[in-house]
Amino acid sequence: MRSKPNQAQEDIMIKDLQRVIQLNDLQAREILNQTQWNLQKATNYILDIQKSGIKIEEQFKKYATKQSLVIDENGISQFCKELEIDLMDPVILYISYIFKSETMGIYTKFDFLYGFTILKVQSTSELKKVLKRLKDDLNNNQEIQKSVYKYCFDFTKQKNRKDIELRFAQGLWETLLTNTFPIMKQFLKYQIQEKDQKHISRDTYYMVWEFCVQIGEDLSKYDYKNGAWPTFIDGFYLYMFPNHKQ
Amino acid sequence: MSKKIEGTEKQNQYQQKLQKIYNQCQTATKKIRLGLLEGCEIKISNKDIIYIFDAIYALTNEVGNAQAYKNSTKLQNNNRVEKVDQELIQYFQDILNEFIADIYQRLNEFSGEKESVLQIVSKTYHDYKAYSYWLYKMFYYLDKFIMPQVGTTLCSTSLKLLKDGYFDKCNKLILNTILQFIQETRKNGILLNKQIKQLIQLYSVMGSKEVELKYMKEVGEYDYICKKQEDAQRFYKEQFQSHLLTETSKFYKEEIDNKQKFTTPEFVNWGNSIFKLELNMCIECYPKSQQAIENKLKIILVKDQAARLVDSPTGVGYMLQYDKTDELKQLFSFIYRTKECITHIAKAYQNFFEQQGQLINNSIEQELQQIKDGRQMHEAEIYFTRMLEVMEKAQNILKNQLQDEPEIQKSYSGAFMLVINKNEKSPIWLAIYTDIIIKSDKGVNEMETDKRLSKIVSLFQLLYQRDVFFRHYQKFLSNRLLNQQIQNIQLEKQLLQKFKGETGTNVLTQLSSMINDIEQSNRFASDQQINKDTKFDLNVFLLSQGCWPITSIQDSIIKPLQIQHVLENYEKMYLEKHNGRILTWCFNMGQGELIYKIQAEKYYLNVNTMQMIAFLLFNQGVSFSIKNILELTKIDKIDLENSLIPFVCMKIISRDKQDIEDFSDENEILKLNMSFNNRAKKMKILPNPKMQPKRISKVKEQNQEELQQMEQINKQREFVVDSQLVRLMKSKKTIKHHELLENCQQMISIFKPDILFIKKRIENLIEREYIRRDEKDWNIYHYLN
């Protein structure tokens, strides 16, 4: 066993892997992680996926654009239709998470190959069968919820920016959090008032999760004075309790 | 004892000896009791005692030896030997018990009256101790050899017997008697009877299991000395002190209920007298309870009443309002007994001065203008003069009446900080006020100067937005430094040093280099003696770029011939000395005096350099079009307006279009007023806001400038906070959120960042990846290298 490579070495290995087949950083990292950063094993793994994935590739072509490079929004809505889910269904975010898809609104061929293999399904109809399990996971397993939630930040983020637009963040909060954490309904109302904030930083976005888990409905637990809450969430607290301002 | 003697025979011998001792004792004790009854000195001959003493010695010794012998041979028969010892002990006890029964009997006869109870108990207690003491003397050897085997001493036994046979039975009675006397004392306000001390003495020894009885010849008193203080103390606390305390609090709570109508000073006086009386009682009668009583009283009289006393209509607010300083002082020392209650006074003090300050804040807007020393007072001056008056009053009271108590010191700065920072004009006003003070300082002695400076500093200390203050201060400082009449470098330095001391950090480099510049310029001038060979005095200030509040430098202005030569000369000399430096002239900042000759009269015009340049043009001709002037001088149009309109107003120059204010028509002709005549020969024609045309754009510009400045200040503040945060993170590597906040707030002295501001900066630093949150505890930050 080799010792764990450093950041630079990792980047090189990811680049190497990306030369074998077109896959994104997230996927490359995940695969390398699973093969203990052994490049040979990782390559083999990818080739295996590719070999056994002829049927999946057919599925991909079904939705892909004419140039058959990627699946765009039209393809995705077709995909959702066949899965009989709404485009706004949180489970599609979970599926994207499993696919390790990098950009919102686009699935690459490898996304399909990788994701279907991980889910051990060959076609959309088979995927539909495991959909219920996925939904259960998303609704009941907080660890998965958290991973999906965090993943969605990068998923939504534009490459050249460090933050995401408030309206996208709101969309994510609404889809991912309001069902589990009713306080988020109030939270979203507060943001209609908040006009200065146009963007949401990664820290704030992550801390909204912590806020849901740790404070949730019981705002009396909120330590406005000493807690390290981002000012955006402080703003929500003051919106709820205007008298608490110093 | 070498020969073995038959047991029973021996026993008989002992018995006989014992009997003899009994008899002797009987006679002796009778004598003692008789003496006690008469209340005089106990007269008992040594012989009597010595006899018993010896007899017991002989007996115990003999028995003891026999015992030791037996112990060494065989372990039997010793119960018979012990019997002798026991009989002696029993006898000792019997004698005492008899006495106890007697005194108890006597007490019962009188139990109704507290006076007699007091008398009897203290007398009999004394008697008993005396009696026990003499008996102890007689039975001394018993104590030496036998009592240790039983595990006690004669004295302890004596005490125990008294407790069982007497004290336990009449404990209640004695206690009530004591309490009654104390109650009476309290009602009358005078300590009536010190004799209760004797009774209380009972309580302080009764709990002890081991005592010694001592006779103090000097005072003729006998006393039990407790060996284990804890037992005695516990007993005292449980049996006496607790009752005393309950009574005390019950009594005074009622008293206080009756005194609710008292004014604060009345109550304080009453309270003080209570403390005095109670202390007296403690010292005289129950010193052991002094601390407990005092604590109790502090709670009842001070702690429970402090808030009411301070806030009552005759409380601190009233005293401050009407300068009732003595009453305040008394109230303070009364409440100071319970230190934590000082917060009440501190709060009231803070409230009062906040209100006073707020009054000034509110009234200053509507204030009629005031005249002082023949000039109009600026509102800043009025404001701070008033504020300083109130502050001085507060300070005096703090010092003289409130002992400079740290808690109230905090209230002092808290109150004035709040008030001064509530007035958003404070930073600029303080800059103006400082300017006025410094300008009026000429010819004042050093002491006075120092006093004035420290006043300014005391205001500065309270200011939050010091960066805004300095921004304004810089402008005034610039004006002062560039005006030779009011230039006072020593004073400026002194004041700057004080500001530096307050802010701690070296944020005032700009200001100090301004002063430095002036000093350098003066030195350079005196080194070169530059002004010797010119027609007029040239005084040049060399100002470092970036340190002075100069917004624009107009370098293209065409210098009139009269000046040009001198300026070039200066430039040459300077550059010779400091090679490679760049010099540009700021004409709008210089000043000079022009001699204007017209109609055979000489006028001295005080103008700035820009005006000078424009006006000198009229040496070349009597009239110019505005366009012409602009071209010939290359002065900015707005500056030209500012420069020449004062001349128009003074009627030195006449213009075609009187009805327009500004120079919007560039073809307009300006002409010298050839018939100019004025009685004043010296005139100030410096640009003056009143003589400037109203410019709509200018108002806008000013607003914009202000906005820009605020933005700039805000940017600067962000830098300050950022650098402070990063510095902290760098040194600590890992830090808790609130710690970071507090430290950051503490370190920044140039303004007062609020928590929100700092938090936003922290978020910004997280985003810029200077720091990150801990994955598990999000209240912790880590520094990212």
Side-chain angles (χ1 to χ4, degrees), chain B residues 166-382:
Chain B
Y166 177 77
F167 180 77
D168 282 353
K169 288 181 194 163
C170 54
N171 179 353
K172 275 266 148 56
L173 177 68
I174 296 172
L175 181 69
N176 280 336
T177 310
I178 298 170
L179 292 178
Q180 268 175 31
F181 271 103
I182 293 176
Q183 189 89 336
E184 210 155 281
T185 302
R186 281 174 178 153
K187 271 187 189 142
N188 291 308
I190 309 164
L191 185 57
L192 290 172
N193 204 329
K194 290 177 191 169
Q195 227 171 348
I196 52 170
K197 186 181 182 179
Q198 304 296 326
L199 272 60
I200 294 159
Q201 194 61 34
L202 275 167
Y203 285 92
S204 52
V205 292
M206 278 305 167
S208 187
K209 300 228 162 51
E210 282 174 48
V211 288
E212 231 175 283
L213 192 52
K214 287 233 167 107
Y215 176 55
M216 280 156 287
K217 267 200 180 129
E218 310 87 62
V219 281
E221 273 181 18
Y222 305 85
D223 240 325
Y224 288 108
I225 310 294
C226 303
K227 285 207 179 132
K228 276 189 186 160
Q229 283 294 334
E230 305 93 61
D231 287 341
Q233 217 126 61
R234 194 180 324 118
F235 184 86
Y236 174 79
K237 276 187 184 153
E238 281 170 10
Q239 298 294 319
F240 174 70
Q241 187 171 293
S242 66
H243 297 289
L244 175 65
L245 290 178
T246 338
E247 278 302 308
T248 308
S249 67
K250 202 176 120 199
F251 178 79
Y252 283 118
K253 272 185 182 151
E254 261 172 42
E255 286 285 298
I256 288 169
D257 282 344
N258 294 334
K259 302 218 161 27
Q260 289 299 305
K261 279 189 184 150
F262 271 26
T263 62
T264 299
E266 279 170 349
F267 190 91
V268 169
N269 277 336
W270 176 72
N272 277 332
S273 71
I274 299 299
F275 270 107
K276 204 170 151 197
L277 175 70
E278 289 291 334
L279 184 71
N280 224 340
M281 282 162 72
C282 285
I283 292 170
E284 291 293 345
C285 305
Y286 35 88
K288 279 182 192 167
S289 295
Q290 188 184 335
Q291 200 58 43
I293 288 276
E294 218 177 312
N295 288 343
K296 194 88 194 172
L297 288 176
K298 275 179 187 172
I299 291 172
I300 303 171
L301 287 169
V302 182
K303 199 174 165 209
D304 294 351
Q305 300 297 317
R308 189 182 69 84
L309 290 177
V310 167
D311 299 331
S312 93
T314 48
V316 171
Y318 170 83
M319 293 171 183
L320 287 172
Q321 183 80 50
Y322 298 103
D323 294 325
K324 306 267 183 202
T325 46
D326 289 342
E327 292 177 357
L328 184 62
K329 195 172 183 171
Q330 268 174 6
L331 177 63
F332 176 79
S333 38
F334 182 70
I335 289 183
Y336 199 66
R337 289 172 199 270
T338 311
K339 245 185 164 178
E340 72 256 28
C341 291
I342 287 301
T343 47
H344 293 294
I345 293 188
K347 248 184 240 158
Y349 175 90
Q350 185 161 358
N351 271 341
F352 177 79
F353 284 107
E354 263 174 30
Q355 273 170 19
Q356 294 290 307
Q358 204 55 47
L359 279 178
I360 299 177
N361 270 1
N362 295 338
S363 66
I364 199 73
E365 302 283 334
Q366 305 121 32
E367 201 58 47
L368 289 169
Q369 297 199 319
Q370 291 191 7
I371 308 287
K372 186 190 158 197
D373 303 339
R375 71 188 161 79
Q376 217 173 52
M377 264 175 102
H378 190 279
E379 38 185 3
E381 196 181 354
I382 303 172

Side-chain angles (χ1 to χ4, degrees), chain B residues 666-681:
Chain B
E666 289 192 2
N667 294 319
E668 187 189 345
I669 305 284
L670 299 181
K671 232 191 287 176
L672 277 183
N673 176 9
M674 302 309 284
S675 58
F676 173 74
N677 187 14
N678 197 324
R679 268 198 296 178
K681 299 303 173 233

